[in-house]
Amino acid sequence: MGPVLAVWGRLSSKLGAPVAFRGRAGRCLQPPTSDTKAGERAKLCPEGPVARTEPRPPDWGPRGAPPEARCTETLFITLPEMDLWEQLLGVLAPSLWQVMASGHCQGDAGTLALSGPQEAALAAKVAISELLILVGRAVPSVGWFFRPCPELSLFLREGDGAGLRAGAVVRLGSKSDPASGASVVTWRALSQRGAPHAHLEVCSPPGSVGLAAGAVLQTLEAAARLQVTSVAICVDSEGAWLLEAVAEAIDTFAWGRPTHPLSSISVVAADGALVATFHRACAKRWPLGESRQELLGNVLRAQERVCTQVVSGSLASQKTDVLVLPVALETDGLEWCPQEVWALAERALGAAGHSGELQPGQVLTVPGMALPDLHCKALYLVHLDGEALQQQGAPEVMRQMVQSCLCSVYGAFLESVSFPLLGAGQTLPAMLEEISCFLEHHPNTWMKLVQIVHPLGLPAPCPVAEEPSTPAEAVGFCWPEQPLFLRYVDESPAVQREFKRCLEEVGYGFRACPHWGILTFPAVASPEEPCGWEAAFRSVRQRYVVHHEGQEDLLEALAAEPSLVEEFGSIRVYDGEDFVGLAREMAPFLRRLAVRAFQRQLVSREYPAEPLPRWVIVKDVAEKELPVPDVSMELQQGAPAIITFRGPRQQVAKAESRCQQLLRAFRVLSVPVSPLQALFIQEHREDVFTPSFFLDRGIAAVLELPTAASGTELAWDLHAGLVPSEGVSVAGLEQEKLQHAAELLRGLVSCQTVPIEGAVHWATQGQEWAELLAGLGTRRDVALHCAASREQLVVVGFQPYVAQAEAAVREYLKSNSLAEERLDVPRPELADAGAELLRLMDWEHLQVAIQLHPNTRVLSLRLQGLLRHLRLARRAIKADLDSLVLGTVPIRGRALGEYLCGEGATLLQDLARQLRCVVSLRGAPPTNGPSSTCGQGAAPQASEAPRKPLKVQAGAPKAPELRVLGREPDVGRVKAAVASFVAQFHDESICNMELVAIGTQALRELGQASLYQFPISLRRLPGNVLRVRGAWDDVAKAVAAVHARIQAAQRQRAEAEVLYGLVKWQHLALAGWRPFSVATNQRLETAYTSGERRVEIKWDEQRAEIDLLKAVAVVRGTGAPIRLRREICLWDRCLAPHWEPMDESLVRLVELGKGSDEYREVAEGFKRTAPGYRILNIQRVQNRVLWVSYCWQRRWMEEKNPPGELNERLLYHGTWPENRRSIQEIGLRITCRKVGIYGQGLYFAVEAARSANYAKPDAHGRRFMFQVRVLTGQFTQGKENMVLPPEKPDGGGRYDSVVNVLSRPSIFVTFFDDLTYPEYLITFQGTRPPLD
């Protein structure tokens, strides 16, 4: 293997430029994709100097040999292997195979059918079997892959990277010197299996992730520049710290280069723990890849183990499956040994027998058996086109020859092939490159060896040397740098250009990576010196310096004057305390900062500032006169107050001197005020009249008051008036401002006197006067001083509040004087209202006397009371009267007018009372007399006063109208209510002969019912006519009620007739029993069913008293008893005689008393057949409907069956708690039947113990059983499938029921409704063993 590497090294070094390991632009062979098989077949171009020739028809063979037989081989595989095979078809190239493969599943296994030549089919069977085993074992260990970007795949693999086939191989290592940075070098080499590739070596200090990431990024960029499609990165066990760097570099490369030829990166580590660690790091950054075929392709490339060798010797002695023989090599430039190649080619052509058909650029396959002395299975004869050799050259023609022959070897599933080495120069590198390219794009597991044989007798293409590779070349370097300087370079395009210019002179580029803290220097050309970048970089770097400043005064000076940096163009400030720039500018900049810091030194002096208000004025004046920004004066309140001067010493001294001059220049001006005003000012010195009173109002003056008010006599005389007082003064610097302050003070504090006349002295003696004074003085804005004689009041305080208080006092005195006023309102409609208006307005709360003067055209009112009350009352009355409006509602129709004058008058009165209006009716039509009855919706309360009749005004127009006087909203509501009622008003007449049945009292009750919303008018007219007037709904209700009465009467008569057909009361006459009339019969039956004993009826125009218990009637006046009887038309009574009254109920449960005979009879029957159970209670079931139906069925059965037949029996039926209510209400229905051994019907037991087994207890342990009357009639033996009783043998119809035993039945089964009546419900407790 060493000679092979040496040969490749010498050849590559002579080329002068690196060889790109990739397919040429004009070649048809491209990397396979998994998208479609059509695209895969397009990768092989049929054109070119060498093309693959399909085998001849079966009738052709070498020298008459029989054609090769075709067969179909079957390979049995598992279902997972079948799934793997279907996925591998997208990775492999089946279009190149000589066999046709088809697979299908049968049950839990699959089969592959391989059809083709016998040897090819057998080889394919073995190769595919081995392929499925190897790939199936490798897939779980590989796992999955990642997608750093859509165009790039990242694979992780455990193992040794020496055997990988990739365009570039990267080895990561470390070195001990961190200060020297990281370096990347490359050279061209052959792998252990003879695959040419670019080898890149990375050396980085241990632990420096940034340096390592930058170096790995340079390797990926170098691989992209070499146009390789795959890169393998090998990490040894000591490079675990490099994994983060690799991830950073891949991430940056994936998204930093939008277009690149690189499609896959494989990271290989010998340690499985390193692979797992890197897998977790990748999972945090990138998504997993989704292409299963891409993963299988990578796995298949890892399993490929083809070894490429260059050997010297005889081509005929090579023991490989295929020997490749060029034919017709007359072209100049190809030197080879004719003694061997010619002889082999002639023999092969002779064995083929049809060499004339071999066209230039074709490959002819000759079976190995044609030349038995050769150790091969087949010979490939390649006819090289001389014209193509001259135009494209020997290397390119050899590339195409290798590619076509490898396709045939691949399709025939052969393991080895030998090529002759023809020509010199770049022929061998081209062949090696084409072999590696083919295997990279067509990975497989059956090809093992590809040999390039240097024939004997030809001169060697190059001497075999010991060097295994070309000399190393520099790819780039990475250098650690300070973060601040990196930021500086990244933000300064001029600095970047300076570095790039110097480094490009020595063949390197320049790039700053602040996020990794490094500088990178990629080789942009072939540098003469590998380390020449360092001197060029240092020559520029030493011109810049990074300075950290720790002195606070310098930093404060810079913060106060940031423009200092602008004077030095190269210097930049970071984080306020770090400076980066040229070294020649840094020193002057720092000196300038020191000078400015020295100049900014300040002094601070403090002095007492009493009195503080004067110092405030002085400070303001001094700040205006000395506009020096470096000097500040600050006043601090306290005991004593302090003023602080800060700034340069000289300027502080000037400010102090000026303040003292101003303090000595203050003036004082006295303010003449009365003693009461002085007292008021003294009382407010703490909250209002403070020394800074004028300062707060923008006046440069100080208010000065005496320390105590006791030294000044504050007395005043009623006759002499106010006596001026001394002690209030103002101080300041300017006379004009002092006078302005004095005028402001005198104008602010005012003093006024209010005289009190004797007529209103009484008003100053009450609680209201005291409350007025207390209220005015509560705010402390004014002070009130009242003389002892109460003849005057002095008001002192702030000017606006003094005027308000004075006005309030005068108004109070004036408003408490007596007065009388007259109010005339020229509105006739108000005059017409008269006293109703006073009732309407409710003016009693106005505290004035109001009298009404009669007037027909003007409303005249006289008001008497206090002036304040009169004012309020006048305004209120005037407002109330002005708010009154007159509204009219026309009344259309005589019926409506009669209604409103009659029964509807209460409606208008209620509206007037509720809405506080005066309602009058003009032009009302005369009524025809009172109605028979009327209603008002509800009877009036006993406490309600009788309503007055509606006022009808004279002189009304022809058309009647309703006039409404009141407030506009109320008038509108009245009009709306009236309009709504008018819209609802309805007049309807009822003509019915049955009206005679409704008496006057009943009609009155109908009219006064509470279901009406408005009053209703019911008037009886001649001819059985009833007229109903009122609202539409009320009329409808009244009409419905009248019709209901009529219908009730009709229904009562119909019920009486029905009852007459069921029950007839009769009396004994001379001619026999005679029935009563229908009405009398109903009266007697109703009294009987209600439990009454005596009733009185009308008998032949006389009154008769009936004793229902004795069935005797006695007519008054005669005294003779008459016998009566009650005849039931049904077979039995509708209501049993022992039942309790039902009222209107259809179903009723009556609990039996434990002492009654009825209870004892039922209980004894239960205990006799079910001993051991405890009865809780017994209830009688009274159901009208069920009983009548049962009675009819019993009568029918008695008439149907022969006389003497026992048709009715008392039986038992146990039930569940939830079913007892339905049985009580609707009975035992055949729809509830269940399947039993004696038929599908209702089951009853003679013994209660048997039915107790079917009585399920409830939550309290209670169980329920019915004692049932059952019409068993004639019965027979029951069977399980019966749904009806069977026919009788004599043809007399069906039996009535079936039993369990004919001789002595204990179970009866019925199949029809209404043959049972649940008479008693027995509630009991206890358990017994079930009966057989």
Side-chain angles (χ1 to χ4, degrees):
M1 198 65 184
V4 175
L5 296 176
V7 169
W8 166 241
R10 287 287 297 196
L11 289 176
S12 299
S13 63
K14 291 182 179 181
L15 296 177
V19 179
F21 304 134
R22 60 182 179 87
R24 300 291 292 269
R27 298 188 46 238
C28 303
L29 183 59
Q30 297 295 335
T33 60
S34 58
D35 295 337
T36 175
K37 294 183 178 180
E40 183 177 324
R41 289 192 297 267
K43 298 165 190 174
L44 294 176
C45 180
E47 301 175 356
V50 178
R52 180 170 176 264
T53 302
E54 298 296 333
R56 296 287 296 174
D59 58 348
W60 172 85
R63 293 186 178 179
E68 186 176 1
R70 299 180 64 86
C71 67
T72 300
E73 293 290 336
T74 302
L75 176 62
F76 296 95
I77 59 178
T78 63
L79 290 181
E81 290 177 335
M82 176 61 73
D83 182 58
L84 179 63
W85 167 254
E86 293 176 353
Q87 296 176 2
L88 283 173
L89 287 178
V91 180
L92 300 171
S95 61
L96 301 179
W97 296 351
Q98 296 181 9
V99 298
M100 297 295 294
S102 61
H104 57 277
C105 297
Q106 294 180 352
D108 57 350
T111 58
L112 288 180
L114 305 174
S115 302
Q118 183 175 6
E119 291 186 3
L122 290 174
K125 178 178 180 180
V126 175
I128 293 175
S129 176
E130 180 184 2
L131 171 69
L132 292 177
I133 294 174
L134 292 177
V135 176
R137 291 176 181 176
V139 167
S141 62
V142 174
W144 208 243
F145 66 100
F146 297 92
R147 284 284 190 192
C149 66
E151 300 81 10
L152 183 61
S153 302
L154 174 61
F155 299 91
L156 311 182
R157 183 174 298 138
E158 178 183 356
D160 185 11
L164 289 178
R165 187 179 301 278
V169 178
V170 180
R171 289 283 180 179
L172 302 181
S174 62
K175 57 183 179 181
S176 60
D177 186 10
S180 61
S183 61
V184 182
V185 295
T186 182
W187 60 86
R188 305 293 186 267
L190 292 176
S191 66
Q192 295 179 357
R193 293 185 294 151
H197 65 275
H199 188 89
L200 294 101
E201 188 77 22
V202 175
C203 294
S204 177
S208 179
V209 176
L211 287 173
V216 174
L217 178 61
Q218 290 191 10
T219 63
L220 297 178
E221 293 175 345
R225 289 194 299 271
L226 292 175
Q227 297 296 313
V228 299
T229 59
S230 60
V231 172
I233 301 177
C234 303
V235 182
D236 55 15
S237 59
E238 299 180 358
W241 59 274
L242 291 172
L243 293 177
E244 182 66 24
V246 172
E248 287 281 345
I250 293 175
D251 195 22
T252 304
F253 174 80
W255 298 104
R257 295 178 63 92
T259 57
H260 54 80
L262 194 59
S263 61
S264 67
I265 299 176
S266 299
V267 178
V268 185
D271 189 358
L274 292 180
V275 176
T277 302
F278 190 62
H279 184 278
R280 290 191 295 270
C282 295
K284 297 178 182 179
R285 294 174 177 268
W286 308 299
L288 290 173
E290 299 179 356
S291 175
R292 182 72 174 175
Q293 293 182 357
E294 188 172 354
L295 175 64
L296 293 177
N298 184 267
V299 173
L300 193 57
R301 293 185 187 93
Q303 299 300 319
E304 178 261 314
R305 291 294 182 268
V306 178
C307 180
T308 304
Q309 296 180 357
V310 180
V311 298
S312 297
S314 173
L315 184 63
S317 64
Q318 303 303 317
K319 298 180 180 181
T320 56
D321 292 341
V322 177
L323 294 180
V324 179
L325 298 176
V327 178
L329 301 179
E330 305 93 338
T331 307
D332 296 337
L334 292 180
E335 299 176 358
W336 53 297
C337 181
Q339 289 80 1
E340 180 184 14
V341 176
W342 270 116
L344 291 176
E346 288 179 355
R347 293 176 60 192
L349 290 173
H354 56 285
S355 59
E357 299 179 2
L358 184 62
Q359 302 297 327
Q362 289 186 346
V363 177
L364 178 63
T365 302
V366 178
M369 67 181 65
L371 301 178
D373 57 331
L374 299 181
H375 306 284
C376 63
K377 297 180 180 180
L379 292 94
Y380 290 168
L381 299 181
V382 183
H383 190 177
L384 302 183
D385 189 1
E387 183 179 355
L389 289 172
Q390 293 179 359
Q391 294 177 357
Q392 299 179 2
E396 185 63 28
V397 172
M398 295 304 293
R399 279 179 181 272
Q400 297 172 0
M401 180 189 72
V402 170
Q403 181 260 330
S404 298
C405 294
L406 288 179
C407 286
S408 299
V409 173
Y410 175 84
F413 295 93
L414 301 175
E415 294 185 358
S416 57
V417 61
S418 295
F419 291 93
L421 177 62
L422 305 178
Q426 297 184 6
T427 303
L428 179 59
M431 296 178 68
L432 291 174
E433 178 185 351
E434 185 61 34
I435 294 170
S436 179
C437 181
F438 177 86
L439 293 175
E440 183 177 358
H441 293 142
H442 294 81
N444 61 87
T445 58
W446 53 84
M447 296 179 65
K448 308 298 183 182
L449 176 64
V450 177
Q451 286 189 158
I452 301 177
V453 182
H454 175 244
L456 296 175
L458 291 180
C462 58
V464 178
E466 296 296 333
E467 293 295 331
S469 61
T470 60
E473 298 179 0
V475 174
F477 296 87
C478 299
W479 184 262
E481 187 52 83
Q482 299 181 23
L484 287 179
F485 187 72
L486 289 173
R487 289 177 58 186
Y488 179 79
V489 172
D490 191 55
E491 297 173 359
S492 303
V495 178
Q496 295 181 19
R497 289 193 297 269
E498 183 179 4
F499 275 103
K500 289 180 180 179
R501 184 177 61 256
C502 294
L503 289 168
E504 286 176 357
E505 294 177 357
V506 294
Y508 287 92
F510 176 80
R511 182 172 55 193
C513 301
H515 56 288
W516 289 337
I518 62 172
L519 295 173
T520 61
F521 308 97
V524 296
S526 298
E528 298 179 358
E529 296 182 7
C531 295
W533 66 272
E534 186 171 358
F537 168 70
R538 292 185 182 278
S539 65
V540 180
R541 178 64 179 86
Q542 65 185 359
R543 298 172 54 191
Y544 293 89
V545 64
V546 178
H547 176 76
H548 175 75
E549 184 57 59
Q551 297 185 16
E552 295 294 336
D553 54 347
L554 298 182
L555 298 178
E556 292 176 359
L558 179 61
E561 193 175 355
S563 60
L564 290 175
V565 183
E566 299 176 0
E567 300 178 6
F568 303 90
S570 67
I571 296 179
R572 298 196 178 187
V573 181
Y574 298 96
D575 301 330
E577 55 186 15
D578 295 315
F579 313 138
V580 183
L582 291 172
R584 68 173 183 270
E585 293 185 356
M586 187 63 68
F589 171 69
L590 295 177
R591 288 195 297 269
R592 182 71 61 85
L593 275 183
V595 171
R596 292 300 173 88
F598 178 78
Q599 293 175 352
R600 286 176 47 82
Q601 291 182 358
L602 302 176
V603 296
S604 177
R605 296 181 181 179
E606 296 181 353
Y607 299 96
E610 292 293 345
L612 181 60
R614 292 196 177 192
W615 272 98
V616 172
I617 297 176
V618 170
K619 175 178 174 294
D620 293 341
V621 174
E623 287 178 347
K624 294 178 181 178
E625 293 180 353
L626 301 172
V628 180
D630 294 337
V631 177
S632 65
M633 292 179 286
E634 180 181 355
L635 281 172
Q636 299 178 357
Q637 295 183 359
I642 301 299
I643 184 170
T644 303
F645 296 88
R646 292 187 179 91
R649 292 179 176 83
Q650 182 178 3
Q651 297 177 359
V652 168
K654 292 181 181 180
E656 293 174 357
S657 174
R658 181 54 183 162
C659 289
Q660 293 297 331
Q661 293 177 4
L662 293 174
L663 286 174
R664 291 191 294 268
F666 262 77
R667 301 178 182 180
V668 179
L669 176 64
S670 297
V671 182
V673 293
S674 66
L676 292 178
Q677 289 175 303
L679 177 62
F680 183 81
I681 293 174
Q682 286 284 355
E683 291 176 351
H684 292 77
R685 68 183 300 169
E686 297 296 333
D687 53 349
V688 178
F689 298 106
T690 61
S692 60
F693 174 76
F694 297 111
L695 294 176
D696 296 339
R697 287 157 178 78
I699 302 175
V702 179
L703 176 61
E704 296 182 350
L705 301 176
T707 56
S710 59
T712 305
E713 291 293 338
L714 302 176
W716 55 285
D717 190 355
L718 291 176
H719 303 287
L722 300 177
V723 177
S725 176
E726 299 291 340
V728 179
S729 60
V730 293
L733 295 175
E734 300 179 17
Q735 184 65 26
E736 294 180 358
K737 293 183 178 180
L738 294 179
Q739 293 178 356
H740 177 58
E743 293 175 359
L744 176 63
L745 183 61
R746 287 195 300 268
L748 183 60
V749 181
S750 176
C751 181
Q752 298 293 336
T753 302
V754 180
I756 302 174
E757 299 179 359
V760 292
H761 276 184
W762 65 272
T764 62
Q765 299 176 2
Q767 182 66 24
E768 189 175 1
W769 171 260
E771 292 177 357
L772 174 64
L773 298 183
L776 293 175
T778 301
R779 297 175 55 187
R780 297 186 65 220
D781 295 328
V782 295
L784 305 176
H785 302 274
C786 186
S789 60
R790 297 186 180 277
E791 294 181 356
Q792 63 179 2
L793 180 70
V794 179
V795 184
V796 181
F798 298 111
Q799 173 58 34
Y801 302 107
V802 169
Q804 295 175 8
E806 179 185 3
V809 172
R810 293 183 183 275
E811 179 63 25
Y812 172 80
L813 295 176
K814 181 179 179 181
S815 63
N816 280 280
S817 59
L818 295 174
E820 178 179 344
E821 294 183 4
R822 181 170 177 172
L823 178 62
D824 294 334
V825 181
R827 293 179 61 182
E829 64 272 13
L830 300 182
D832 292 341
E836 287 293 323
L837 186 62
L838 298 181
R839 178 192 61 79
L840 171 66
M841 302 315 296
D842 190 16
W843 287 327
E844 289 80 2
H845 66 285
L846 298 179
Q847 300 182 9
V848 296
I850 305 175
Q851 296 181 0
L852 180 64
H853 285 246
N855 196 324
T856 58
R857 305 301 299 173
V858 177
L859 177 64
S860 180
L861 301 175
R862 187 175 68 180
L863 311 177
Q864 292 179 344
L866 296 178
L867 181 59
R868 58 178 180 175
H869 294 160
L870 289 179
R871 292 174 179 172
L872 297 176
R874 184 181 181 87
R875 288 196 297 270
I877 294 172
K878 188 69 170 62
D880 289 343
L881 295 178
D882 290 343
S883 65
L884 299 180
V885 297
L886 178 64
T888 60
V889 180
I891 305 300
R892 296 180 177 87
R894 182 181 182 86
L896 179 60
E898 292 177 355
Y899 173 80
L900 293 178
C901 289
E903 293 81 1
T906 57
L907 170 63
L908 300 179
Q909 292 171 5
D910 289 342
L911 287 175
R913 178 176 54 81
Q914 295 175 4
L915 301 178
R916 303 186 65 80
C917 294
V918 178
V919 181
S920 60
L921 187 62
R922 284 195 173 189
T927 59
N928 296 329
S931 61
S932 298
T933 182
C934 65
Q936 299 178 11
Q941 301 294 331
S943 60
E944 182 180 352
R947 295 187 175 91
K948 298 179 181 180
L950 185 65
K951 184 178 180 180
V952 180
Q953 298 180 4
K958 295 180 180 181
E961 66 177 8
L962 190 68
R963 307 188 69 183
V964 184
L965 179 64
R967 293 180 176 85
E968 185 173 1
D970 298 334
V971 172
R973 285 193 285 271
V974 172
K975 292 173 65 176
V978 172
S980 176
F981 176 78
V982 170
Q984 301 180 48
F985 180 76
H986 183 59
D987 183 5
E988 184 173 344
S989 297
I990 303 175
C991 182
N992 196 308
M993 297 299 295
E994 299 292 341
L995 287 175
V996 297
I998 304 177
T1000 303
Q1001 181 62 28
L1003 198 60
R1004 184 177 296 107
E1005 292 176 358
L1006 285 176
Q1008 294 180 352
S1010 60
L1011 53 86
Y1012 304 126
Q1013 183 180 3
F1014 301 103
I1016 194 74
S1017 173
L1018 300 175
R1019 188 182 300 274
R1020 193 189 300 272
L1021 301 178
N1024 289 329
V1025 177
L1026 181 66
R1027 187 174 63 192
V1028 185
R1029 289 176 176 173
W1032 183 277
D1033 294 339
D1034 295 339
V1035 169
K1037 295 177 182 178
V1039 171
V1042 172
H1043 284 294
R1045 289 295 182 97
I1046 295 173
Q1047 293 173 2
Q1050 294 174 351
R1051 184 169 56 253
Q1052 185 175 6
R1053 185 167 59 253
E1055 291 177 354
E1057 293 176 356
V1058 173
L1059 183 61
Y1060 190 75
L1062 299 176
V1063 180
K1064 290 183 180 179
W1065 285 85
Q1066 301 175 351
H1067 62 276
L1068 184 61
L1070 296 177
W1073 291 98
R1074 309 294 295 178
F1076 286 97
S1077 64
V1078 175
T1080 304
N1081 184 79
Q1082 184 184 27
R1083 177 74 178 90
L1084 294 175
E1085 181 63 21
T1086 303
Y1088 175 79
T1089 57
S1090 301
E1092 300 181 11
R1093 180 174 181 179
R1094 299 182 183 275
V1095 64
E1096 187 176 301
I1097 63 174
K1098 189 176 181 181
W1099 195 339
D1100 296 336
E1101 302 300 330
Q1102 296 181 359
R1103 307 300 296 179
E1105 184 175 351
I1106 307 297
D1107 190 334
L1108 298 176
L1109 186 61
K1110 297 181 179 180
V1112 174
V1114 177
V1115 180
R1116 291 182 182 179
T1118 63
I1122 302 174
R1123 292 178 58 191
L1124 305 178
R1125 76 175 184 181
R1126 177 174 176 266
E1127 182 181 11
I1128 305 299
C1129 297
L1130 297 173
W1131 181 87
D1132 200 355
R1133 295 173 295 177
C1134 293
L1135 300 179
H1138 59 281
W1139 278 12
E1140 297 292 333
M1142 297 287 290
D1143 297 329
E1144 296 298 327
S1145 303
L1146 295 177
V1147 181
R1148 181 180 178 185
L1149 287 179
V1150 178
E1151 186 172 356
L1152 303 181
K1154 294 187 178 180
S1156 62
D1157 296 336
E1158 186 178 4
Y1159 181 92
R1160 285 195 297 272
E1161 182 181 357
V1162 176
E1164 288 174 1
F1166 175 86
K1167 293 181 179 179
R1168 184 172 58 253
T1169 61
Y1173 293 95
R1174 183 169 63 89
I1175 298 177
L1176 300 179
N1177 59 61
I1178 300 175
Q1179 296 172 294
R1180 184 194 312 125
V1181 180
Q1182 298 183 183
N1183 191 315
R1184 291 176 183 266
V1185 177
L1186 292 180
W1187 178 251
V1188 172
S1189 300
Y1190 178 79
C1191 291
W1192 277 104
Q1193 291 290 344
R1194 183 170 61 183
R1195 183 176 180 180
W1196 169 78
M1197 188 173 289
E1198 290 175 351
E1199 295 176 358
K1200 178 178 72 73
N1201 292 337
E1205 184 72 29
L1206 182 59
N1207 295 312
E1208 183 182 57
R1209 298 175 187 266
L1210 294 178
L1211 304 176
Y1212 296 93
H1213 182 84
T1215 185
W1216 290 12
E1218 57 269 24
N1219 296 336
R1220 57 190 178 93
R1221 181 176 295 276
S1222 62
I1223 294 175
Q1224 297 165 13
E1225 294 177 356
I1226 65 174
L1228 293 161
R1229 294 297 175 183
I1230 198 64
T1231 55
C1232 300
R1233 62 189 177 183
K1234 296 183 179 179
V1235 178
I1237 60 176
Y1238 305 115
Q1240 301 179 16
L1242 297 173
Y1243 282 69
F1244 302 91
V1246 176
E1247 299 175 353
R1250 184 178 300 275
S1251 296
N1253 294 331
Y1254 301 93
K1256 178 182 177 182
D1258 63 1
H1260 304 287
R1262 298 176 301 180
R1263 308 170 76 179
F1264 303 90
M1265 183 186 299
F1266 285 95
Q1267 179 180 310
V1268 188
R1269 289 182 179 269
V1270 183
L1271 298 176
T1272 57
Q1274 295 180 339
F1275 54 82
T1276 185
Q1277 177 69 40
K1279 296 182 180 180
E1280 182 177 1
N1281 58 350
M1282 287 185 177
V1283 296
L1284 288 174
E1287 296 282 346
K1288 295 179 181 179
D1290 56 358
R1294 295 182 181 273
Y1295 286 95
D1296 300 316
S1297 62
V1298 298
V1299 297
N1300 58 341
V1301 180
L1302 286 175
S1303 60
R1304 189 179 178 182
S1306 59
I1307 298 176
F1308 287 83
V1309 183
T1310 63
F1311 299 86
F1312 303 100
D1313 293 330
D1314 300 327
L1315 296 183
T1316 62
Y1317 180 80
E1319 190 173 18
Y1320 295 96
L1321 173 62
I1322 304 172
T1323 305
F1324 62 98
Q1325 280 184 339
T1327 57
R1328 285 191 59 190
L1331 298 177
D1332 295 332

